[in-house]
Amino acid sequence: MRGIKSILFMVKNKKRLLIMILFLLGMESIVLIYNTQVQKYLIDDVFLKQMFDKLYILLLLLFSCIFLHAILNSLIPQVMQKYNYVIQKELSNGLLSVLYGYTIDELREKQTGNYVNYFTGDIQNAAIFVSDDIPKGIQSLFSVIIVSVVIAFLSPFLVVAVILFSLLIYFVSKKIEPSISESAGRAQEAKAKVISVIEEEISGTREIIAFNNKEWEKKRLISIFFDYFKHTTKEGDFQNKVIVRSEPIRWAVIWISLGYGGVLAMQGKISIGSFVVLYQFSLQLMNAVLSFTRFITSSWSQMQHIKRLEFIYDHNKKFNENTENLPSSFDSIKFHNVDFTYKGGKEPALKRINLTLPLGRKIAIVGESGSGKSTISKLLMRFYEPDSGDITVNGIVIQKFKNDDWFRHIAFVTQEAYLFPSTIRENLSLGSDYSNEELEYACNLAQIQEFINQFNQGFDTVIGEHGNTLSGGQKQRIILARSLLRTPEILVLDEATSALDLETERLVMRGIDLERKNKTTIVIAHRLSTIKNADVIFVMQHGDLVEYGAHNELLRKNGYYSKLVEKELLSSYTRSRLDTHM
Ligand SMILES: Nc1ncnc2c1ncn2[C@@H]1O[C@H](COP(=O)(O)OP(=O)(O)O)[C@@H](O)[C@H]1O
Ligand SMILES: [Mg+2]
């Protein structure tokens, strides 16, 4: 039932096209039936009763039927195509907004291959089902009814016989239904797996070559592909079974209509013309019944696609619940008793974190690797939701804000940020309009302008996927420039300068400090030297917030922070000694 509900949801706004398709299909059926009926008059009146004056009118009628049929035949696929396109567009948009609305946690649970499959397989199949199969199914049901009525005028017995035989065909197919539906589902899953493995292998190409595990990867792909092949073959086998079992029944109907109609004609109960068209109508009825039952059986597998897409419908409902408008000015951002453990993580990543972020200031989060720094920023970005406790802006839980609003006011730079295989300009602006001056300003702050100037095409230079043609430091600086360009209310830099050398990092941080003087910037840094001047430093250890305060205050406390500083001084001293001795 939920499947039906989601179909209705899909076609909700597109009823006009569907009604038009149904109307055209109905016309097509009627024209076909009328065309057959005309033949009866041609045989009975013109040839047998020799009323030759009727010939021209009947020929004209026949001609117009054929002409109309030809027009409908070319029109219907066009309208269906248009409807199909509209549905695909609607579903793809829905799917994209689902994708962008997920928390990272939810995304991680679903492999990306699944999404590729949703876009390429399920959406297309679901669209064909809604735009072609369902209207044609309705058309065949309509034909069954009309043709039955027409036959009933000549012989009610035949209608009963045909209906009984049709039910037989239906039950034969229905017995095989669960197996078809099950193997169709399995085939879909296997296909999604094939795609996700191919995707993994493409993105992991370098590792596969470097670690020389080509053979293993090949074997893995072949075995998964074989699994897919097995399930589709099985699905095909079951569908063949339906056809093989229903075909003899079809022939039985033809035989009965010929035999029984022949007897009626010989007894003079029906005319010769009626006998000829009775036979044709029986064929039409049979075809309509068969295509209707085939529609029903194929629906079982097609419904799998619709079921796999139901989450779009569910999500859209959930999505509309985030309705709170973001306040125009932020008074406070607070973490209240925030606990968080990653799925599959043994230890909590954050334990009862309470903190108030001073707005309009430079805030630093420090601590050893794994202490929970990134987790704080990811929760703030709503990539995950706290297990308990909450994060509020002006007292409102951040999950309640509209997605677009929230991400317009907060920007996040990590080491994992993505560069698109496109121009530097597009990677900076991400679809918004910025003038060259604005771009240059941000790129100067991020110390990347000089590098861009080296290219003849400047901002219009194309960079490879993941920025493969750039060094790690160049990538980081482009991504930094991208986030500075947006002048977000809150900017989170999670080890965003880790790949830069000391001197460049110092310049970049100085630029950022100047540019974001009265804005909130949260810096997570490995090198403590970059955050010494922060207004407040939060010190994390094993998921606990152990200390906070300004640099000098913390040094005076002589606690964990001063230990971290000592450790860093020691290691940089060792490093410089090593450098001078090399
Ligand atoms: N996606 C994840 N799944 C499971 N555990 C994770 C995940 N990300 C981080 N962790 C764990 O959570 C803890 C905190 O990680 P994180 O906040 O990234 O640390 P930091 O940024 O301070 O280095 C670590 O123990 C880490 O292993
Ligand atoms: Mg981190």
Side-chain angles (χ1 to χ4, degrees):
M1 248 3 237
R2 280 197 51 232
I4 305 289
K5 208 163 131 194
S6 43
I7 294 179
L8 289 180
F9 164 75
M10 286 176 211
V11 298
K12 188 176 62 186
N13 302 319
K14 315 290 166 207
K15 279 194 212 96
R16 266 188 25 224
L17 269 173
L18 180 63
I19 289 170
M20 179 148 163
I21 292 173
L22 287 176
F23 173 75
L24 292 175
L25 285 172
M27 289 258 291
E28 192 191 25
S29 297
I30 289 172
V31 166
L32 205 65
I33 291 164
Y34 200 72
N35 191 23
T36 312
Q37 192 64 24
V38 170
Q39 293 172 37
K40 173 197 170 326
Y41 299 120
L42 211 55
I43 295 169
D44 285 348
D45 297 353
V46 179
F47 297 124
L48 295 178
K49 293 187 191 148
Q50 309 225 323
M51 297 154 80
F52 292 118
D53 48 333
K54 272 194 175 173
L55 178 66
Y56 301 106
I57 293 181
L58 287 173
L59 282 181
L60 194 68
L61 263 176
L62 213 54
F63 175 77
S64 14
C65 280
I66 293 166
F67 185 67
L68 202 58
H69 195 251
I71 289 179
L72 286 169
N73 250 334
S74 71
L75 203 60
I76 290 169
Q78 283 179 39
V79 185
M80 280 183 169
Q81 193 62 37
K82 164 110 184 110
Y83 190 45
N84 185 298
Y85 163 77
V86 167
I87 294 171
Q88 284 203 35
K89 198 177 71 178
E90 200 92 328
L91 283 176
S92 305
N93 276 337
L95 186 54
L96 267 183
S97 70
V98 171
L99 207 55
Y100 297 148
Y102 272 138
T103 62
I104 300 293
D105 226 9
E106 291 169 306
L107 268 182
R108 207 159 268 161
E109 272 172 25
K110 308 172 198 296
Q111 288 165 302
T112 27
N114 256 332
Y115 284 92
V116 176
N117 202 37
Y118 288 143
F119 276 110
T120 54
D122 294 316
I123 286 189
Q124 273 173 22
N125 279 304
I128 288 176
F129 183 56
V130 177
S131 70
D132 291 37
D133 298 353
I134 291 182
K136 279 183 182 158
I138 294 175
Q139 180 194 30
S140 43
L141 183 64
F142 176 71
S143 299
V144 168
I145 294 167
I146 300 278
V147 178
S148 298
V149 170
V150 175
I151 298 178
F153 275 114
L154 299 168
S155 158
F157 166 78
L158 252 185
V159 176
V160 175
V162 169
I163 285 173
L164 281 181
F165 278 100
S166 318
L167 284 179
L168 201 60
I169 293 176
Y170 177 75
F171 285 118
V172 165
S173 333
K174 192 160 168 64
K175 237 176 101 181
I176 310 175
E177 164 221 344
S179 327
I180 292 184
S181 154
E182 193 196 315
S183 41
R186 290 250 170 93
Q188 271 312 309
E189 274 162 29
K191 188 178 165 200
K193 216 163 180 185
V194 169
I195 293 177
S196 62
V197 167
I198 289 177
E199 227 209 34
E200 276 167 32
E201 291 186 351
I202 291 173
S203 31
T205 307
R206 276 196 301 196
E207 279 70 16
I208 292 170
I209 295 171
F211 291 96
N212 199 19
N213 54 353
K214 282 178 274 189
E215 286 311 311
W216 181 76
E217 288 290 342
K218 263 188 212 159
K219 265 191 207 141
R220 187 160 79 113
L221 182 62
I222 287 170
S223 99
I224 290 170
F225 199 81
F226 183 72
D227 206 39
Y228 167 52
F229 177 71
K230 208 174 63 191
H231 289 301
T232 37
T233 320
K234 224 176 187 176
E235 186 190 352
D237 279 351
F238 284 124
Q239 262 160 0
N240 276 340
K241 244 184 207 167
V242 173
I243 295 171
V244 166
R245 291 190 189 172
S246 55
E247 208 67 357
I249 312 176
R250 189 181 129 100
W251 280 103
V253 171
I254 293 173
W255 185 79
I256 289 172
S257 73
L258 274 178
Y260 186 69
V263 170
L264 288 182
M266 279 190 291
Q267 289 171 346
K269 285 188 182 142
I270 59 170
S271 65
I272 301 290
S274 294
F275 165 66
V276 174
V277 297
L278 188 64
Y279 165 66
Q280 289 191 37
F281 278 139
S282 302
L283 275 189
Q284 280 174 25
L285 181 55
M286 221 47 250
N287 285 335
V289 170
L290 278 183
S291 73
F292 184 67
T293 51
R294 269 177 209 152
F295 161 68
I296 299 284
T297 43
S298 77
S299 300
W300 297 319
S301 50
Q302 295 291 39
M303 279 311 280
Q304 299 299 319
H305 297 290
I306 307 254
K307 274 203 189 119
R308 279 163 56 87
L309 293 174
E310 260 168 14
F311 71 93
I312 297 180
Y313 168 75
D314 292 342
H315 179 86
N316 272 318
K317 272 203 317 205
K318 180 182 147 200
F319 204 58
N320 292 332
E321 286 164 15
N322 304 353
T323 49
E324 201 76 42
N325 282 319
L326 207 62
S328 53
S329 73
F330 292 7
D331 301 332
S332 69
I333 301 183
K334 288 185 175 160
F335 281 57
H336 308 268
N337 291 331
V338 170
D339 277 314
F340 182 74
T341 308
Y342 286 97
K343 274 197 185 127
K346 283 188 210 88
E347 296 277 309
L350 294 181
K351 300 174 206 157
R352 293 207 144 242
I353 298 296
N354 281 294
L355 53 86
T356 303
L357 299 175
L359 294 171
R361 297 295 169 86
K362 180 174 176 182
I363 300 160
I365 305 176
V366 302
E368 290 189 313
S369 170
S371 57
K373 306 182 296 289
S374 298
T375 309
I376 289 189
S377 62
K378 283 173 185 167
L379 290 185
L380 197 57
M381 287 302 290
R382 300 203 325 207
F383 287 178
Y384 301 91
E385 287 180 24
D387 297 333
S388 65
D390 45 39
I391 304 168
T392 57
V393 171
N394 298 3
I396 302 169
V397 178
I398 57 169
Q399 268 73 22
K400 289 202 173 144
F401 296 123
K402 288 179 192 156
N403 265 26
D404 291 353
D405 269 3
W406 186 241
F407 291 110
R408 206 173 300 127
H409 286 84
I410 184 163
F412 183 46
V413 182
T414 59
Q415 288 165 287
E416 298 147 29
Y418 183 80
L419 286 174
F420 295 91
S422 175
T423 59
I424 293 177
R425 182 191 302 280
E426 278 172 11
N427 269 292
L428 290 170
S429 61
L430 295 182
S432 306
D433 259 338
Y434 292 105
S435 66
N436 275 355
E437 288 70 38
E438 287 172 300
L439 294 181
E440 274 167 26
Y441 181 71
C443 288
N444 274 321
L445 282 177
Q447 302 292 324
I448 189 71
Q449 187 58 42
E450 260 177 53
F451 170 73
I452 296 171
N453 287 343
Q454 289 170 10
F455 296 110
N456 288 337
Q457 283 158 306
F459 289 123
D460 296 310
T461 310
V462 174
I463 53 180
E465 189 169 12
H466 294 280
N468 271 341
T469 47
L470 305 174
S471 78
Q474 288 156 354
K475 266 192 267 186
Q476 281 198 335
R477 280 177 284 164
I478 289 188
I479 287 158
L480 264 173
R482 173 199 281 173
S483 62
L484 289 171
L485 205 51
R486 306 196 138 55
T487 56
E489 204 84 30
I490 304 169
L491 176 65
V492 185
L493 304 175
D494 188 353
E495 312 214 356
T497 50
S498 59
L500 306 188
D501 58 82
L502 264 177
E503 178 57 14
T504 317
E505 182 177 49
R506 206 178 53 79
L507 287 172
V508 169
M509 285 314 294
R510 203 175 61 185
I512 291 176
D513 288 348
L514 280 175
E515 162 64 17
R516 299 190 54 82
K517 207 159 196 157
N518 295 312
K519 299 200 187 83
T520 313
T521 310
I522 301 173
V523 185
I524 298 172
H526 220 66
R527 295 190 198 121
L528 300 179
S529 54
T530 47
I531 51 90
K532 247 174 22 191
N533 66 346
D535 295 293
V536 56
I537 302 170
F538 292 99
V539 188
M540 299 292 300
Q541 187 183 21
H542 303 310
D544 284 312
L545 173 64
V546 287
E547 284 177 322
Y548 65 92
H551 177 73
N552 288 332
E553 276 169 50
L554 287 170
L555 280 187
R556 273 198 299 276
K557 271 192 192 164
N558 202 15
Y560 183 59
Y561 179 75
S562 55
K563 273 204 198 96
L564 289 178
V565 173
E566 256 168 50
K567 218 167 157 186
E568 179 166 309
L569 282 176
L570 201 66
S571 74
S572 65
Y573 173 72
T574 327
R575 213 180 310 124
S576 63
R577 295 253 320 193
L578 280 174
D579 285 348
T580 47
H581 284 269
M582 290 249 266

PDB file of all heavy atoms in Angstrom, residues 12-32:
ATOM      1  N   LYS A  12       1.568  13.592  -8.072  1.00  0.00           N
ATOM      2  CA  LYS A  12       0.682  14.565  -7.446  1.00  0.00           C
ATOM      3  C   LYS A  12       0.438  15.821  -8.299  1.00  0.00           C
ATOM      4  O   LYS A  12      -0.699  16.186  -8.561  1.00  0.00           O
ATOM      5  CB  LYS A  12       1.312  14.940  -6.094  1.00  0.00           C
ATOM      6  CG  LYS A  12       0.486  15.784  -5.211  1.00  0.00           C
ATOM      7  CD  LYS A  12       1.231  15.959  -3.886  1.00  0.00           C
ATOM      8  CE  LYS A  12       2.564  16.664  -4.111  1.00  0.00           C
ATOM      9  NZ  LYS A  12       3.407  16.768  -2.958  1.00  0.00           N
ATOM     10  N   ASN A  13       1.525  16.413  -8.752  1.00  0.00           N
ATOM     11  CA  ASN A  13       1.373  17.690  -9.459  1.00  0.00           C
ATOM     12  C   ASN A  13       1.270  17.539 -10.967  1.00  0.00           C
ATOM     13  O   ASN A  13       1.229  18.507 -11.692  1.00  0.00           O
ATOM     14  CB  ASN A  13       2.558  18.599  -9.134  1.00  0.00           C
ATOM     15  CG  ASN A  13       2.669  18.837  -7.659  1.00  0.00           C
ATOM     16  OD1 ASN A  13       1.649  19.028  -6.992  1.00  0.00           O
ATOM     17  ND2 ASN A  13       3.883  18.795  -7.140  1.00  0.00           N
ATOM     18  N   LYS A  14       1.299  16.308 -11.440  1.00  0.00           N
ATOM     19  CA  LYS A  14       1.390  16.112 -12.890  1.00  0.00           C
ATOM     20  C   LYS A  14       0.170  15.370 -13.417  1.00  0.00           C
ATOM     21  O   LYS A  14       0.276  14.579 -14.338  1.00  0.00           O
ATOM     22  CB  LYS A  14       2.659  15.313 -13.245  1.00  0.00           C
ATOM     23  CG  LYS A  14       3.886  15.765 -12.535  1.00  0.00           C
ATOM     24  CD  LYS A  14       4.345  17.131 -13.020  1.00  0.00           C
ATOM     25  CE  LYS A  14       5.364  17.689 -12.062  1.00  0.00           C
ATOM     26  NZ  LYS A  14       5.441  19.130 -12.026  1.00  0.00           N
ATOM     27  N   LYS A  15      -0.984  15.621 -12.816  1.00  0.00           N
ATOM     28  CA  LYS A  15      -2.175  14.862 -13.191  1.00  0.00           C
ATOM     29  C   LYS A  15      -2.584  15.105 -14.644  1.00  0.00           C
ATOM     30  O   LYS A  15      -3.049  14.200 -15.312  1.00  0.00           O
ATOM     31  CB  LYS A  15      -3.333  15.237 -12.267  1.00  0.00           C
ATOM     32  CG  LYS A  15      -3.282  14.506 -10.938  1.00  0.00           C
ATOM     33  CD  LYS A  15      -4.602  14.637 -10.215  1.00  0.00           C
ATOM     34  CE  LYS A  15      -4.414  14.658  -8.721  1.00  0.00           C
ATOM     35  NZ  LYS A  15      -4.369  15.978  -8.100  1.00  0.00           N
ATOM     36  N   ARG A  16      -2.383  16.339 -15.125  1.00  0.00           N
ATOM     37  CA  ARG A  16      -2.884  16.675 -16.465  1.00  0.00           C
ATOM     38  C   ARG A  16      -2.282  15.792 -17.542  1.00  0.00           C
ATOM     39  O   ARG A  16      -2.974  15.303 -18.427  1.00  0.00           O
ATOM     40  CB  ARG A  16      -2.621  18.143 -16.767  1.00  0.00           C
ATOM     41  CG  ARG A  16      -3.834  18.967 -16.403  1.00  0.00           C
ATOM     42  CD  ARG A  16      -3.745  20.414 -16.834  1.00  0.00           C
ATOM     43  NE  ARG A  16      -2.878  20.681 -17.944  1.00  0.00           N
ATOM     44  CZ  ARG A  16      -2.026  21.714 -17.964  1.00  0.00           C
ATOM     45  NH1 ARG A  16      -1.955  22.529 -16.935  1.00  0.00           N
ATOM     46  NH2 ARG A  16      -1.286  21.950 -19.008  1.00  0.00           N
ATOM     47  N   LEU A  17      -0.954  15.592 -17.429  1.00  0.00           N
ATOM     48  CA  LEU A  17      -0.288  14.740 -18.423  1.00  0.00           C
ATOM     49  C   LEU A  17      -0.811  13.312 -18.357  1.00  0.00           C
ATOM     50  O   LEU A  17      -1.043  12.686 -19.391  1.00  0.00           O
ATOM     51  CB  LEU A  17       1.217  14.740 -18.171  1.00  0.00           C
ATOM     52  CG  LEU A  17       2.015  15.804 -18.898  1.00  0.00           C
ATOM     53  CD1 LEU A  17       3.448  15.801 -18.424  1.00  0.00           C
ATOM     54  CD2 LEU A  17       1.958  15.563 -20.408  1.00  0.00           C
ATOM     55  N   LEU A  18      -1.012  12.827 -17.135  1.00  0.00           N
ATOM     56  CA  LEU A  18      -1.485  11.455 -16.969  1.00  0.00           C
ATOM     57  C   LEU A  18      -2.887  11.302 -17.562  1.00  0.00           C
ATOM     58  O   LEU A  18      -3.170  10.337 -18.285  1.00  0.00           O
ATOM     59  CB  LEU A  18      -1.493  11.084 -15.478  1.00  0.00           C
ATOM     60  CG  LEU A  18      -1.969   9.669 -15.174  1.00  0.00           C
ATOM     61  CD1 LEU A  18      -1.030   8.646 -15.800  1.00  0.00           C
ATOM     62  CD2 LEU A  18      -2.049   9.421 -13.669  1.00  0.00           C
ATOM     63  N   ILE A  19      -3.739  12.277 -17.306  1.00  0.00           N
ATOM     64  CA  ILE A  19      -5.108  12.217 -17.835  1.00  0.00           C
ATOM     65  C   ILE A  19      -5.076  12.233 -19.361  1.00  0.00           C
ATOM     66  O   ILE A  19      -5.788  11.485 -20.027  1.00  0.00           O
ATOM     67  CB  ILE A  19      -5.945  13.388 -17.281  1.00  0.00           C
ATOM     68  CG1 ILE A  19      -6.212  13.139 -15.789  1.00  0.00           C
ATOM     69  CG2 ILE A  19      -7.268  13.536 -18.032  1.00  0.00           C
ATOM     70  CD1 ILE A  19      -6.808  14.310 -15.058  1.00  0.00           C
ATOM     71  N   MET A  20      -4.181  13.041 -19.917  1.00  0.00           N
ATOM     72  CA  MET A  20      -4.069  13.122 -21.378  1.00  0.00           C
ATOM     73  C   MET A  20      -3.627  11.771 -21.953  1.00  0.00           C
ATOM     74  O   MET A  20      -4.174  11.296 -22.950  1.00  0.00           O
ATOM     75  CB  MET A  20      -3.038  14.189 -21.729  1.00  0.00           C
ATOM     76  CG  MET A  20      -2.822  14.341 -23.191  1.00  0.00           C
ATOM     77  SD  MET A  20      -2.431  16.050 -23.531  1.00  0.00           S
ATOM     78  CE  MET A  20      -1.744  15.906 -25.153  1.00  0.00           C
ATOM     79  N   ILE A  21      -2.642  11.150 -21.297  1.00  0.00           N
ATOM     80  CA  ILE A  21      -2.176   9.849 -21.769  1.00  0.00           C
ATOM     81  C   ILE A  21      -3.319   8.836 -21.733  1.00  0.00           C
ATOM     82  O   ILE A  21      -3.561   8.111 -22.701  1.00  0.00           O
ATOM     83  CB  ILE A  21      -0.998   9.343 -20.906  1.00  0.00           C
ATOM     84  CG1 ILE A  21       0.235  10.219 -21.144  1.00  0.00           C
ATOM     85  CG2 ILE A  21      -0.670   7.890 -21.234  1.00  0.00           C
ATOM     86  CD1 ILE A  21       1.390   9.910 -20.232  1.00  0.00           C
ATOM     87  N   LEU A  22      -4.050   8.820 -20.616  1.00  0.00           N
ATOM     88  CA  LEU A  22      -5.146   7.857 -20.478  1.00  0.00           C
ATOM     89  C   LEU A  22      -6.213   8.104 -21.539  1.00  0.00           C
ATOM     90  O   LEU A  22      -6.755   7.175 -22.137  1.00  0.00           O
ATOM     91  CB  LEU A  22      -5.757   7.951 -19.074  1.00  0.00           C
ATOM     92  CG  LEU A  22      -4.885   7.372 -17.949  1.00  0.00           C
ATOM     93  CD1 LEU A  22      -5.529   7.596 -16.603  1.00  0.00           C
ATOM     94  CD2 LEU A  22      -4.621   5.888 -18.184  1.00  0.00           C
ATOM     95  N   PHE A  23      -6.502   9.365 -21.798  1.00  0.00           N
ATOM     96  CA  PHE A  23      -7.498   9.711 -22.811  1.00  0.00           C
ATOM     97  C   PHE A  23      -7.072   9.202 -24.186  1.00  0.00           C
ATOM     98  O   PHE A  23      -7.844   8.561 -24.915  1.00  0.00           O
ATOM     99  CB  PHE A  23      -7.700  11.226 -22.832  1.00  0.00           C
ATOM    100  CG  PHE A  23      -8.580  11.699 -23.942  1.00  0.00           C
ATOM    101  CD1 PHE A  23      -9.960  11.513 -23.882  1.00  0.00           C
ATOM    102  CD2 PHE A  23      -8.045  12.316 -25.078  1.00  0.00           C
ATOM    103  CE1 PHE A  23     -10.779  11.933 -24.916  1.00  0.00           C
ATOM    104  CE2 PHE A  23      -8.853  12.740 -26.113  1.00  0.00           C
ATOM    105  CZ  PHE A  23     -10.222  12.551 -26.033  1.00  0.00           C
ATOM    106  N   LEU A  24      -5.804   9.459 -24.544  1.00  0.00           N
ATOM    107  CA  LEU A  24      -5.302   9.022 -25.856  1.00  0.00           C
ATOM    108  C   LEU A  24      -5.325   7.498 -25.972  1.00  0.00           C
ATOM    109  O   LEU A  24      -5.694   6.945 -27.012  1.00  0.00           O
ATOM    110  CB  LEU A  24      -3.879   9.543 -26.076  1.00  0.00           C
ATOM    111  CG  LEU A  24      -3.758  11.063 -26.239  1.00  0.00           C
ATOM    112  CD1 LEU A  24      -2.294  11.475 -26.330  1.00  0.00           C
ATOM    113  CD2 LEU A  24      -4.506  11.539 -27.482  1.00  0.00           C
ATOM    114  N   LEU A  25      -4.931   6.832 -24.901  1.00  0.00           N
ATOM    115  CA  LEU A  25      -4.923   5.365 -24.930  1.00  0.00           C
ATOM    116  C   LEU A  25      -6.346   4.814 -25.068  1.00  0.00           C
ATOM    117  O   LEU A  25      -6.584   3.848 -25.805  1.00  0.00           O
ATOM    118  CB  LEU A  25      -4.266   4.809 -23.660  1.00  0.00           C
ATOM    119  CG  LEU A  25      -2.746   4.919 -23.594  1.00  0.00           C
ATOM    120  CD1 LEU A  25      -2.235   4.515 -22.220  1.00  0.00           C
ATOM    121  CD2 LEU A  25      -2.078   4.065 -24.667  1.00  0.00           C
ATOM    122  N   GLY A  26      -7.283   5.460 -24.374  1.00  0.00           N
ATOM    123  CA  GLY A  26      -8.680   5.044 -24.468  1.00  0.00           C
ATOM    124  C   GLY A  26      -9.178   5.184 -25.906  1.00  0.00           C
ATOM    125  O   GLY A  26      -9.824   4.286 -26.466  1.00  0.00           O
ATOM    126  N   MET A  27      -8.836   6.320 -26.528  1.00  0.00           N
ATOM    127  CA  MET A  27      -9.189   6.562 -27.935  1.00  0.00           C
ATOM    128  C   MET A  27      -8.633   5.455 -28.811  1.00  0.00           C
ATOM    129  O   MET A  27      -9.301   4.924 -29.690  1.00  0.00           O
ATOM    130  CB  MET A  27      -8.578   7.885 -28.413  1.00  0.00           C
ATOM    131  CG  MET A  27      -9.209   9.104 -27.837  1.00  0.00           C
ATOM    132  SD  MET A  27     -10.327   9.887 -29.014  1.00  0.00           S
ATOM    133  CE  MET A  27      -9.159  10.482 -30.227  1.00  0.00           C
ATOM    134  N   GLU A  28      -7.368   5.113 -28.558  1.00  0.00           N
ATOM    135  CA  GLU A  28      -6.708   4.096 -29.366  1.00  0.00           C
ATOM    136  C   GLU A  28      -7.484   2.769 -29.308  1.00  0.00           C
ATOM    137  O   GLU A  28      -7.745   2.137 -30.337  1.00  0.00           O
ATOM    138  CB  GLU A  28      -5.278   3.889 -28.876  1.00  0.00           C
ATOM    139  CG  GLU A  28      -4.438   3.062 -29.827  1.00  0.00           C
ATOM    140  CD  GLU A  28      -3.113   2.632 -29.226  1.00  0.00           C
ATOM    141  OE1 GLU A  28      -3.017   2.540 -27.980  1.00  0.00           O
ATOM    142  OE2 GLU A  28      -2.183   2.388 -29.998  1.00  0.00           O
ATOM    143  N   SER A  29      -7.895   2.388 -28.084  1.00  0.00           N
ATOM    144  CA  SER A  29      -8.643   1.137 -27.931  1.00  0.00           C
ATOM    145  C   SER A  29      -9.961   1.199 -28.689  1.00  0.00           C
ATOM    146  O   SER A  29     -10.338   0.252 -29.391  1.00  0.00           O
ATOM    147  CB  SER A  29      -8.943   0.877 -26.449  1.00  0.00           C
ATOM    148  OG  SER A  29      -7.757   0.710 -25.760  1.00  0.00           O
ATOM    149  N   ILE A  30     -10.653   2.321 -28.549  1.00  0.00           N
ATOM    150  CA  ILE A  30     -11.959   2.442 -29.193  1.00  0.00           C
ATOM    151  C   ILE A  30     -11.815   2.412 -30.707  1.00  0.00           C
ATOM    152  O   ILE A  30     -12.584   1.738 -31.411  1.00  0.00           O
ATOM    153  CB  ILE A  30     -12.667   3.720 -28.716  1.00  0.00           C
ATOM    154  CG1 ILE A  30     -13.095   3.523 -27.245  1.00  0.00           C
ATOM    155  CG2 ILE A  30     -13.886   4.037 -29.581  1.00  0.00           C
ATOM    156  CD1 ILE A  30     -13.628   4.751 -26.592  1.00  0.00           C
ATOM    157  N   VAL A  31     -10.807   3.099 -31.231  1.00  0.00           N
ATOM    158  CA  VAL A  31     -10.579   3.115 -32.680  1.00  0.00           C
ATOM    159  C   VAL A  31     -10.336   1.690 -33.197  1.00  0.00           C
ATOM    160  O   VAL A  31     -10.870   1.278 -34.232  1.00  0.00           O
ATOM    161  CB  VAL A  31      -9.387   4.036 -33.034  1.00  0.00           C
ATOM    162  CG1 VAL A  31      -8.927   3.814 -34.464  1.00  0.00           C
ATOM    163  CG2 VAL A  31      -9.774   5.491 -32.828  1.00  0.00           C
ATOM    164  N   LEU A  32      -9.558   0.930 -32.428  1.00  0.00           N
ATOM    165  CA  LEU A  32      -9.238  -0.435 -32.826  1.00  0.00           C
ATOM    166  C   LEU A  32     -10.501  -1.299 -32.877  1.00  0.00           C
ATOM    167  O   LEU A  32     -10.724  -2.064 -33.824  1.00  0.00           O
ATOM    168  CB  LEU A  32      -8.239  -1.024 -31.824  1.00  0.00           C
ATOM    169  CG  LEU A  32      -7.362  -2.152 -32.343  1.00  0.00           C
ATOM    170  CD1 LEU A  32      -6.434  -1.643 -33.426  1.00  0.00           C
ATOM    171  CD2 LEU A  32      -6.574  -2.764 -31.197  1.00  0.00           C
TER     172      LEU A  32
END
